Each structure stands twice: as structure tokens, then as C-alpha cells.
Amino acid sequence: MSIQTIDSQAAAFFSRFQPVKVNGKSLARSTREEAAAALEEMTIPTRKWEDWKYTNLAPLVKRNLNLAGKGEVSKEEVQARLIPELDSDYLVFVNGYFAPELSDFAVTNYHVNTLHDLEGMERELFEAYFGQIVPFDQDVFTAMNTAYGREGLFVYVPKAKMIEKPLQVLHITTGSDKDLGIQHRNMFLIGEGASLKIIESYHTLGGATSFRNDVTEIKVEDRAQFEHIRLQIAGNEASQVNNLEIHQGRDSIAKTFVFTMSGDLIRNNLIFKLKDEHTESHLMGAYLLDGTQKLDNFTQVNHMKPHCFSNELYKGIMDDEASGAFTGRINVFPDAQKTNAYQSNRNILLSDDAQINTKPQLEIYADDVKCSHGATTGRLDEEALFYLMARGINKTAARKLLVHAFVLEVSENISLEPVRQYIDQLVSTRY
């Protein structure tokens, strides 16, 4: 959706982000120019738009955002935020800038680089796919990131390379300034028969308030496997809009996990395109919100070819005056016979003032499929709570056990045991 004359408030918001130069040359210059032109005819979504009816962006847009400068973070602060016991390479971005002195990666059998350092084959690959996986003419935040994004991460795993050691990416916001603006771009290309696991986590140090606008483009080639874990734990002063899209080839497997533990206003857009036969996709998420935190998860799974499988499970726990939304859309195209697609959204409200809006959607244009979707919202199981308390467990501990069991159905699907334990610790600390 766009308008011919951009409104002044949107224009002021966009103007706070500036174009990027890489090595003295524009990276993907023609695509950036096209995105900037598209942005001139766009405006900020409002709650009158069907896909944004649960997200009020007006307070965010009115903020006087300033592009973040390079912040200072110690090695000790980074070490404290790495996932314990996880043997991984890791990269650190501070206020959107890559911090090589804080990072530790020595990859030799695949490519990891920042956008500012792309040259040769890496640059050619990036420019070939930039803006092609996540279209910039359909979403205003994607257009803004494509046109004006300054930094990001490029990962390419060549054909048949099975990468055993996962890659951690830490996004740290620091400083005492108000309303820092940060844009980050990811591109992950997983070659035919290759595999990789990536964990992205978000953290805040100091009293900075911030808005992040991130875009992630992922291509998983034939018979490749990819697992992506996102941990949103940046604190109550951090707002984010995330656009992530995955294109999958034949016989590929892709898994995404999104855990949201804090944030002022967060919108996660996640789109899967199953573009060839015998593709397997898993979308899983858990959100545990309190205070006045706001979260909107929007997912879309496009079954485009026959004999594909998708499984989606999102679970939420809302306390205090927190508000959340889940919109899950499954599209089964006419050619996608023999599709198996499942979607479930389950929520628990711990207070009278917490709220959740859930909207599962299923559009089927093929006649030989197995598809289901559903949503539930309720309280903690009083009978289970009574059962635990009757056996000597106090109410607080009993509630914690039930919350753990609720989240476990999502986290137990993660292949990395240290990550599962880390998430359990986050949940335990929260409750």
C-alpha cells in the first residue's frame, strides 16, 4: 500500500537515515536507488491497515531519532552475554557498527563478512540477491533499510559444506543518548547440501532508548539445512521492526525460533516461501511479556509446490498490562498438492489487564492437502496449580514450573543444548 504524496511526518522519519558508501563506492547502487524511489511514495502503516491493525506506530514515528554513533563496550561485557557452554564463533555489532576487537571468528570453510568489506565474489553474490529475497516495494521499513542501511552481515556457505560450529551474532546497544536509530542488514546464503546454525541476540547497556530496523534475506538451496534463533532480550527501552524472509529449495529444511523476553514495541515479520517440492519448514516462537511491553508477530507461509510440510507453533505468556498480537497466514497455491501445513497459537494471560489478539488464517487453492490452524487463550491451569501446591510446592514455584512446561514445547525443538539451557535460565529469571 502506498500513497502518491508522502505525508510530512513520514518524510521526517525517513530523513533521519542517510545513504551508505562502501569502500568509496555505493554497494548495490541501482537497487538502493530503486528502493529510495519506492520510499518516496510510501507512508507509515496505521491501524487502519489490516496487517497492522494491532500495532500503533504513531508514538515511534514521532520520536526524534538520531543515527547511533559508535559506542564503547568492554570484552567482559560481551563475555557476560555470550551463551554459556556454547562452542561457537561470534561477531559483535555495537550500535549497528561491527566491532572486530570484540568478535572471535576464524571460519575457513565458509564466508563471513560485513557489508563494508565485501569484495570480489562475495560482493557479486550480495548484489545478485540484495532486495530480491525480501522485496522492498511492499513494506516501508524494508524500503528504508534497503535504501539507507549502513551496515550488516553477509554469510555464504558453499555447496556441501556442513558447518558444525554455530555462529553467534550479538547486537549491543549502548550509551545514555535517547532515541538511537539503528539499521542492520543480514544476508544468509546456504548452498546446495550445506548446513548452518545462527543465533542472533539483542542486548542493551546503559540507559539508551533505541529503534532498530532490521532486514534478513535467507536463501536455502536444495537439500540444505538451516536453523536460525533470535533472542530479543534488549530491555524495555528497545523497539524493533524485523523483516525476515526465507526462500527454500527442494528437499531443504529450515527452522526459525523467535524468543521475545522484553521490548518497548516489537514487530516481527516472518515470511517463508517453499519454492520447490519436498521442502520442510518449522516456525516456532515464544513470548513472555510484562509491564507495558507490546509485541506483534506476523507470519506467512507460502506453499508453492507439491509434497511440502510446514509446522508453526507460537506460544505467549502475558502479564501486567502487556499486549500482544499474532497473525499467522498459510497460503496453499494451486500447484501445491499433497501439502501438510499446521499452525497453532496458544496464549496464557496472567493478569486481568494483559491482552492478546490472535488471527490464524488459512487460504487453500489446492484440493489434496492436510492443513489445520487454531488459537487458544486462557489462564494458567488451576487444577495443575492446585495439584503442585497440594504436594508441598509453594505458589510461586508452582507457577514457575507451569510456565517452564509451557515454553518448553517450543525450546525443546532447538538442536543446541546450551541454547535450550540458556532460554530456560532466562525464563527462570523472569518468573
Side-chain angles (χ1 to χ4, degrees):
M1 182 175 181
S2 64
I3 59 174
Q4 293 303 310
T5 303
I6 192 170
D7 62 86
S8 58
Q9 189 176 76
F13 182 76
F14 301 151
S15 69
R16 298 177 187 128
F17 296 86
Q18 298 296 321
V20 63
K21 295 290 184 181
V22 180
N23 295 339
K25 301 173 289 185
S26 293
L27 181 66
R29 178 177 178 179
S30 61
T31 302
R32 290 188 182 277
E33 289 177 347
E34 291 175 17
L39 192 63
E40 292 179 358
E41 295 189 353
M42 292 182 171
T43 190
I44 304 296
T46 72
R47 298 186 68 176
K48 294 181 180 179
W49 298 24
E50 183 63 27
D51 289 345
W52 290 83
K53 65 184 299 182
Y54 302 121
T55 304
N56 181 15
L57 294 172
L60 174 65
V61 176
K62 291 178 182 178
R63 288 160 60 178
N64 186 27
L65 292 171
N66 298 291
L67 288 178
K70 292 184 178 181
E72 295 185 1
V73 175
S74 69
K75 291 184 178 180
E76 291 74 19
E77 288 171 321
V78 170
Q79 290 295 319
R81 283 154 182 83
L82 291 171
I83 297 174
E85 308 301 325
L86 180 64
D87 181 19
S88 72
D89 294 297
Y90 61 89
L91 297 92
V92 179
F93 290 83
V94 179
N95 289 355
Y97 297 90
F98 178 56
E101 72 282 2
L102 301 175
S103 304
D104 186 0
F105 66 105
V107 300
T108 57
N109 53 352
Y110 72 111
H111 300 261
V112 177
N113 214 335
T114 63
L115 302 193
H116 276 82
D117 293 322
L118 293 181
E119 292 289 356
M121 178 271 292
E122 291 181 341
R123 185 184 181 106
E124 291 177 5
L125 270 176
F126 178 85
E127 293 188 329
Y129 289 106
F130 182 58
Q132 304 303 307
I133 299 173
V134 182
F136 55 77
D137 58 350
Q138 299 177 19
D139 175 83
V140 64
F141 292 101
T142 300
M144 188 169 71
N145 184 289
T146 304
Y148 301 140
R150 299 180 301 167
E151 181 60 294
L153 178 62
F154 174 82
V155 176
Y156 168 56
V157 184
K159 180 179 179 179
K161 296 293 184 180
M162 310 291 287
I163 310 303
E164 297 297 329
K165 183 181 287 190
L167 178 66
Q168 285 194 73
V169 184
L170 282 73
H171 302 281
I172 299 176
T173 303
T174 187
S176 58
D177 295 336
K178 300 298 182 182
D179 294 332
L180 299 179
I182 300 170
Q183 293 201 107
H184 182 90
R185 188 80 174 211
N186 288 324
M187 182 179 292
F188 306 143
L189 305 178
I190 316 302
E192 181 180 344
S195 69
L196 181 66
K197 300 178 178 71
I198 292 180
I199 307 104
E200 289 191 89
S201 59
Y202 300 83
H203 312 265
T204 297
L205 302 176
T209 58
S210 63
F211 166 67
R212 295 188 61 95
N213 178 33
D214 289 4
V215 175
T216 301
E217 298 185 282
I218 303 172
K219 186 172 179 60
V220 184
E221 297 282 7
D222 296 353
R223 297 181 299 283
Q225 298 185 27
F226 180 68
E227 184 172 342
H228 182 262
I229 303 163
R230 172 171 284 158
L231 305 174
Q232 296 175 319
I233 50 178
N236 295 338
E237 303 303 319
S239 296
Q240 298 184 33
V241 173
N242 293 291
N243 280 284
L244 183 150
E245 185 162 334
I246 297 180
H247 291 187
Q248 290 185 247
R250 178 185 290 263
D251 295 307
S252 65
I253 301 174
K255 300 178 180 180
T256 62
F257 299 89
V258 182
F259 290 88
T260 307
M261 305 288 292
S262 62
D264 177 28
L265 171 64
I266 294 180
R267 166 77 177 211
N268 294 316
N269 296 321
L270 176 60
I271 297 177
F272 272 67
K273 288 186 178 179
L274 288 65
K275 305 189 73 172
D276 211 334
E277 297 186 24
H278 302 287
T279 298
E280 184 176 327
S281 306
H282 298 266
L283 301 78
M284 297 197 172
Y287 40 97
L288 296 85
L289 305 181
D290 56 16
T292 59
Q293 298 169 354
K294 302 174 183 63
L295 168 70
D296 190 348
N297 282 320
F298 179 93
T299 70
Q300 182 171 305
V301 181
N302 296 315
H303 282 265
M304 307 171 73
K305 293 295 181 179
H307 304 287
C308 292
F309 170 80
S310 68
N311 182 35
E312 181 172 6
L313 175 62
Y314 272 69
K315 306 184 76 172
I317 299 177
M318 317 295 290
D319 202 357
D320 300 327
E321 299 178 16
S323 61
F326 171 82
T327 300
R329 184 175 299 156
I330 299 175
N331 295 323
V332 182
F333 286 59
D335 290 341
Q337 303 294 344
K338 303 295 183 181
T339 286
N340 287 337
Y342 305 98
Q343 179 193 98
S344 178
N345 176 227
R346 305 173 200 166
N347 302 281
I348 292 176
L349 302 180
L350 297 180
S351 73
D352 292 335
D353 295 322
Q355 61 177 313
I356 184 75
N357 294 286
T358 182
K359 189 170 64 172
Q361 298 174 313
L362 183 57
E363 297 185 14
I364 302 174
Y365 301 98
D367 53 19
D368 186 6
V369 302
K370 293 181 180 179
C371 300
S372 68
H373 69 301
T376 61
T377 300
R379 301 285 186 175
L380 274 179
D381 190 330
E382 293 296 334
E383 290 187 5
L385 189 63
F386 176 79
Y387 177 88
L388 293 172
M389 294 175 64
R391 277 147 183 81
I393 301 174
N394 65 50
K395 188 173 183 179
T396 300
R399 280 164 57 97
K400 182 183 292 188
L401 284 173
L402 293 177
V403 168
H404 264 113
F406 188 75
V407 176
L408 183 63
E409 188 177 0
V410 175
S411 62
E412 67 181 0
N413 292 281
I414 295 175
S415 65
L416 301 167
E417 174 64 23
V419 179
R420 296 198 298 268
Q421 294 178 355
Y422 183 67
I423 292 171
D424 284 346
Q425 182 61 40
L426 290 176
V427 175
S428 179
T429 302
R430 165 62 63 86
Y431 293 99

